Amino acid sequence: MKNDFLKYQAQTSPYPLGMEVSHAIGSYIYDTNNKSYLDFVAGVSACSLGHQHPRVNQAIKDQLDKYSHVMVYGEYSQSPAVQYCKLLVENLPKELNKVYLVNSGTEACEGALKLVRRVTGRSQLISCHNAYHGNTMGSMSVMGFEERKQVFRPLIPDVDFITFNNEDDIQKITTKTAGIILESIQGGAGFIQPENFFLSKVKKRCEEVGALMIVDEIQPGFGRTGKLFGFENYNVVPDVVIIGKGMAGGMPVGGFIANEKYMDLLSHDPKLGHITTFGGHPVIAAACLATLQEVLEKEYASQSLVKEKLFRELLVHPLIQEVRGKGLMLAAMTSDVEITNQVIMRCQDKGLILFWLLFEGKAIRITPPLTITEEEIKEGCKIILEVMDEVQLTLNNVN
């Protein structure tokens, strides 16, 4: 299977991990030799309730027995999507009261960028250095990492960049700015949290000049950082929120949320201002609804902070310089890219899945399912520390 994988599927890197997956359940993935791997990555934060969650699986099966795709998004009233959007809005600040469902996080970003231009009549977009909001052309235009996008230029014009947490840069938001897009916690940059009320100060500046603030919750969202959404930790209400990844328990989906007075502008002048065939797909929406219900009812958001504390107590080692992030969105930082590479690869050999971040090569991604147990956290951290002992011994011998 691995040979066919490399031969027939387009690859995203020269050396994919290539694990041959047999099945997955709970916090574990199994390969075709039936070796188990404890999953500390959760499909890069997408499998928020672990693998094969019974409530999500049942919702998918029940909806399949009723109907699947019947009409392009926005034309028919379909119960799973309506129920989901209603429950989502009921758990958001009152200003965020209309949802547009799409198929992925990057598509949600595209819709949000179009929306702020439609609302303001302006063209300038501002993002942050080392930001990541997706990989389609609009999303790539607001990616703050030139190495990844230079060969695809020209991209969308009139985009400027500021440094996350740099208050002086906030003045770059002017009356020419349609909107600024930020992650509530910078993901690819190394799980960097806003400091000194940075997000609130950005929002205040936007209000002063008539620009809109987009907050990307694709990674932090749906309980991963101690609140349903990351921005709730930082005393700010964005104008537009982008969602994806963990919202459907591992199914492909995205969305953007704003006030109805803004969202309604996409329906006229011109009509069909943003359209999608499969957005709000009833089977996917059923998975979204089941996932959100489970996250809310079981209070997984608050539990993520308890589990964060356990991770921080356990992950103490000379090779770990710090643990960044919040809740179950954590990054163990080493001093060297090669140390990080060795730890991730050796841990996989020992049955623990870790992963990298996009732009920060020294970071070890730790984003397990919200359903991870304390016993599983202890099991995984034990493997990490054992591997780090081995790596440190190798380094000492070399030196």
Side-chain angles (χ1 to χ4, degrees):
M1 186 167 66
K2 185 174 180 179
N3 289 337
D4 285 350
F5 164 67
L6 296 172
K7 182 176 181 180
Y8 296 111
Q9 276 192 250
Q11 305 301 313
T12 59
S13 68
Y15 306 106
L17 293 174
M19 182 197 297
E20 297 185 11
V21 178
S22 167
H23 60 286
I25 188 165
S27 300
Y28 291 86
I29 298 174
Y30 297 80
D31 67 17
T32 49
N33 294 317
N34 207 37
K35 179 179 177 179
S36 65
Y37 298 82
L38 179 57
D39 186 1
F40 268 19
V41 176
V44 190
S45 303
C47 302
S48 48
L49 299 178
H51 304 283
Q52 303 295 323
H53 191 280
R55 185 170 187 169
V56 178
N57 277 12
Q58 192 60 53
I60 292 168
K61 293 171 184 176
D62 290 347
Q63 184 57 42
L64 280 171
D65 288 337
K66 296 175 183 176
Y67 60 90
S68 183
H69 177 71
V70 291
M71 178 52 71
V72 295
Y73 179 78
E75 293 296 328
Y76 288 177
S77 174
Q78 301 175 60
S79 177
V82 172
Q83 290 185 68
Y84 176 65
C85 291
K86 181 181 179 182
L87 181 61
L88 189 54
V89 165
E90 288 173 347
N91 286 277
L92 281 163
K94 65 181 187 301
E95 298 91 337
L96 298 165
N97 53 26
K98 189 160 275 192
V99 184
Y100 197 122
L101 296 174
V102 292
N103 304 285
S104 67
T106 192
E107 187 185 338
C109 178
E110 300 283 343
L113 296 177
K114 289 170 64 178
L115 180 62
V116 297
R117 283 185 164 182
R118 175 69 179 85
V119 170
T120 63
R122 304 171 183 175
S123 63
Q124 187 192 48
L125 300 168
I126 295 178
S127 183
C128 289
H129 297 296
N130 293 327
Y132 180 76
H133 301 287
N135 227 41
T136 47
M137 295 297 276
S139 303
M140 185 175 286
S141 299
V142 292
M143 180 195 298
F145 199 78
E146 185 61 27
E147 177 186 326
R148 295 284 179 91
K149 62 184 186 179
Q150 60 185 2
V151 298
F152 301 107
R153 288 191 176 278
L155 298 170
I156 291 178
D158 207 4
V159 177
D160 199 2
F161 291 87
I162 68 172
T163 299
F164 198 75
N165 283 328
N166 185 321
E167 294 185 28
D168 293 337
D169 277 5
I170 293 175
Q171 297 306 309
K172 291 184 178 181
I173 306 169
T174 71
T175 53
K176 296 181 180 180
T177 306
I180 179 169
I181 181 169
L182 315 94
E183 300 153 272
S184 57
I185 297 177
Q186 276 205 307
F191 290 4
I192 298 172
Q193 295 190 66
E195 300 171 354
N196 195 27
F197 304 101
F198 179 70
L199 295 184
S200 296
K201 291 173 181 176
V202 169
K203 179 65 185 297
K204 182 175 183 292
R205 178 61 178 170
C206 286
E207 291 172 345
E208 290 171 352
V209 300
L212 298 185
M213 180 183 185
I214 305 168
V215 168
D216 182 339
E217 287 286 344
I218 293 170
Q219 286 201 68
F222 296 96
R224 189 158 287 280
T225 66
K227 301 284 188 180
L228 188 60
F229 293 103
F231 71 81
E232 296 177 285
N233 290 300
Y234 307 110
N235 193 34
V236 66
V237 178
D239 296 296
V240 187
V241 173
I242 302 173
I243 53 177
K245 285 196 185 295
M247 65 190 283
M251 300 295 279
V253 68
F256 56 106
I257 312 164
N259 190 273
E260 61 182 343
K261 68 181 179 181
Y262 297 153
M263 290 296 236
D264 289 348
L265 293 174
L266 295 176
S267 68
H268 60 89
D269 301 324
K271 65 180 180 180
L272 307 178
H274 192 73
I275 54 175
T276 171
T277 297
F278 290 114
H281 190 287
V283 176
I284 303 296
C288 288
L289 179 60
T291 300
L292 182 56
Q293 289 170 333
E294 187 75 5
V295 168
L296 293 172
E297 291 170 16
K298 298 293 177 62
E299 299 183 345
Y300 281 120
S302 59
Q303 290 180 34
S304 71
L305 298 179
V306 176
K307 294 171 183 179
E308 174 195 354
K309 184 179 179 182
L310 180 58
F311 268 113
R312 290 186 180 277
E313 288 173 354
L314 295 172
L315 290 178
V316 177
H317 192 278
L319 293 185
I320 298 176
Q321 296 192 319
E322 63 174 315
V323 177
R324 293 183 186 165
K326 190 173 183 65
L328 291 178
M329 184 177 176
L330 301 174
M333 307 298 298
T334 74
S335 62
D336 185 80
V337 172
E338 186 52 39
I339 292 174
T340 290
N341 291 342
Q342 285 197 43
V343 170
I344 292 172
M345 297 306 297
R346 291 191 188 197
C347 280
Q348 178 162 310
D349 291 340
K350 292 180 179 289
L352 175 67
I353 298 174
L354 302 168
F355 209 59
W356 296 266
L357 298 185
L358 279 174
F359 310 138
E360 175 50 87
K362 293 179 286 188
I364 301 170
R365 171 189 285 273
I366 301 173
T367 56
L370 305 186
T371 51
I372 194 93
T373 67
E374 289 190 4
E375 291 73 20
E376 290 166 342
I377 292 172
K378 292 175 182 177
E379 176 188 347
C381 288
K382 181 181 178 183
I383 294 172
I384 292 172
L385 297 177
E386 288 174 353
V387 165
M388 286 189 164
D389 284 343
E390 295 173 5
V391 172
Q392 187 175 40
L393 183 59
T394 302
L395 291 172
N396 292 339
N397 289 337
V398 169
N399 294 331

